[in-house]
Amino acid sequence: MRQPYAIIPARGGSKGITRKNLQPVGGVPLIGRAILAARGSQHVQGVFVSTDDAEIAEAAKRYGAEVIWRPAELATDTASSEAALLHALHYLREERSLRVDLLVFIQCTSPFIESKDIDAMIEKLEDGNGDCIFTVTRFHGFVWKVDSQLGAVGVNHDRNVRLRRQEREPQFLETGAVYIMRADGFLQYKHRFFGKVLMYEVPSERSLEIDEPADLLLANMLWQRMYRENQRRTLPDKVEAIVMDFDGVFTDNRVLVLQDGSEGVLCSRSDGWGIARLKERGIPIVVISSETNPVVEARCRKLGIECLTGVADKLSVMWEWLQRRGVSSENNVVYIGNDVNDLACMQAVGCAVAPSDAHPQVLEAADVVLQAKGGQGALRELAEMVLQQRE
């Protein structure tokens, strides 16, 4: 395999969206997304960001890339991406003495690049003896242009023949996400397309390119949908039981202490709605808590779910409960917890779930990290995921 290096051009100025390369999609700036995709590649040997901007450079380093400072004349609106790439390639070869065989050009404006795409493109380029390859998506639109005599004229179709989609010759739209070129050829032609050009198709839902503010809004909406879908797929095919901690899951992990020493907590009614829907589907639910506070039993009694309190060894108690309920496999069990005393149970079941504000060790161990916080809709979110998965 040849030596591929990724270069991500990211200048500070942008017209359509101010500071575009630093705008977040799903909480991660566009520059960070591009870097993470490149770093996740099995083939890419190094990731470099070409920029003129100190804030972008700082973000690039934070996400694990090295920085190539480009001169001012390559940071203008009229400077081409090719010019920035040529500058970066000369730097890598001459100043860093790196053997760069393949130049992996990634644009920040495509937030849904995946590492597997980069690897597949490199492999296809090598296997197909290509000189360059770029990302495309299948295109089914009718393109028109204006003619001074005829008015609207079809560009990619005969306006007098309205073919169905399956009858038309496949066409592909350049997505602007990833371009991979043989470095020697790029230096010779100074353009991203030369020699034998190959295409790599990505699904339309991952082909979005951000140019306008509306694109950024759409990207975040798509990310939310993709995130929830990926999380849902992590659940067992058949959820046989759900085991829950109480504090930090049903509550926000705080306690209200009254003058007489009694304690109270705040719970979410929406969580109660979610639990009720799970019960309707016949999914066994139990709360296992180390607390002995009566408020735990009171909340569970109102929701009509089993409750085991004052438990020091949650794991053994969970095994006993699952056995009593006749659960066939721990792989079909979901456990949701928020603190380190939940880790043993989380590691023992098929799917470990954590609210977004859980302890860092719990977040790292979780298969699914919810968007909601404990006591603020986390259980409702989990319930909806399980119900959608069943449907």
Side-chain angles (χ1 to χ4, degrees), residues 123-374:
E123 292 162 11
K124 184 175 181 178
L125 183 68
E126 293 286 81
D127 295 342
N129 293 317
D131 292 295
C132 48
I133 187 170
F134 67 107
T135 49
V136 299
T137 193
R138 204 163 288 255
F139 179 70
H140 302 285
F142 291 102
V143 180
W144 297 79
K145 67 178 180 179
V146 176
D147 182 271
S148 59
Q149 300 297 323
L150 299 175
V153 177
V155 173
N156 64 344
H157 66 285
D158 182 347
R159 67 178 184 175
N160 298 313
V161 181
R162 198 69 172 182
L163 295 176
R164 294 177 299 169
R165 175 180 294 189
Q166 59 268 32
E167 296 173 331
R168 300 172 61 197
E169 181 181 356
Q171 294 183 328
F172 300 92
L173 185 68
E174 184 178 342
T175 70
V178 183
Y179 305 81
I180 303 177
M181 303 87 77
R182 296 196 185 278
D184 289 341
F186 179 66
L187 286 173
Q188 178 183 351
Y189 291 97
K190 296 179 173 50
H191 195 273
R192 71 189 74 178
F193 298 118
F194 55 89
K196 184 178 180 181
V197 180
L198 304 179
M199 297 188 298
Y200 176 81
E201 186 175 353
V202 297
S204 59
E205 63 269 19
R206 292 200 290 108
S207 67
L208 178 66
E209 186 174 19
I210 295 178
D211 289 317
E212 304 295 336
D215 298 329
L216 192 60
L217 178 63
L218 178 59
N220 276 286
M221 294 172 64
L222 285 171
W223 180 87
Q224 289 280 354
R225 179 180 176 181
M226 291 178 184
Y227 177 84
R228 291 180 66 86
E229 183 67 17
N230 288 336
Q231 296 282 72
R232 184 182 63 78
R233 288 198 188 105
T234 307
L235 294 172
D237 292 336
K238 180 185 178 183
V239 176
E240 290 191 58
I242 299 178
V243 183
M244 304 175 175
D245 182 27
F246 188 80
D247 287 326
V249 174
F250 279 78
T251 77
D252 62 2
N253 219 21
R254 295 185 298 174
V255 62
L256 177 67
V257 182
L258 303 180
Q259 286 181 327
D260 61 1
S262 60
E263 297 181 353
V265 295
L266 292 176
C267 299
S268 169
R269 288 191 180 276
S270 68
D271 286 345
W273 185 94
I275 290 173
R277 302 292 80 74
L278 293 172
K279 287 176 55 186
E280 290 173 0
R281 298 299 180 93
I283 300 176
I285 301 172
V286 66
V287 170
I288 301 179
S289 175
S290 58
E291 290 291 324
T292 55
N293 195 323
V295 74
V296 180
E297 295 178 353
R299 181 59 177 163
C300 292
R301 186 165 54 249
K302 181 172 183 179
L303 296 175
I305 57 177
E306 292 186 66
C307 178
L308 304 171
T309 61
V311 176
D313 184 359
K314 288 188 175 185
L315 183 59
S316 61
V317 170
M318 180 181 74
W319 286 136
E320 293 172 3
W321 181 82
L322 292 173
Q323 188 175 18
R324 290 200 310 270
R325 298 300 307 218
V327 175
S328 63
S329 171
E330 66 273 12
N331 291 330
N332 295 328
V333 177
V334 173
Y335 185 98
I336 177 170
N338 79 303
D339 217 330
V340 292
N341 64 339
D342 296 306
L343 287 172
C345 291
M346 294 177 73
Q347 293 164 354
V349 300
C351 184
V353 181
S356 63
D357 59 342
H359 188 279
Q361 291 183 41
V362 174
L363 293 175
E364 185 176 352
D367 300 303
V368 174
V369 176
L370 302 170
Q371 292 181 274
K373 297 180 180 180

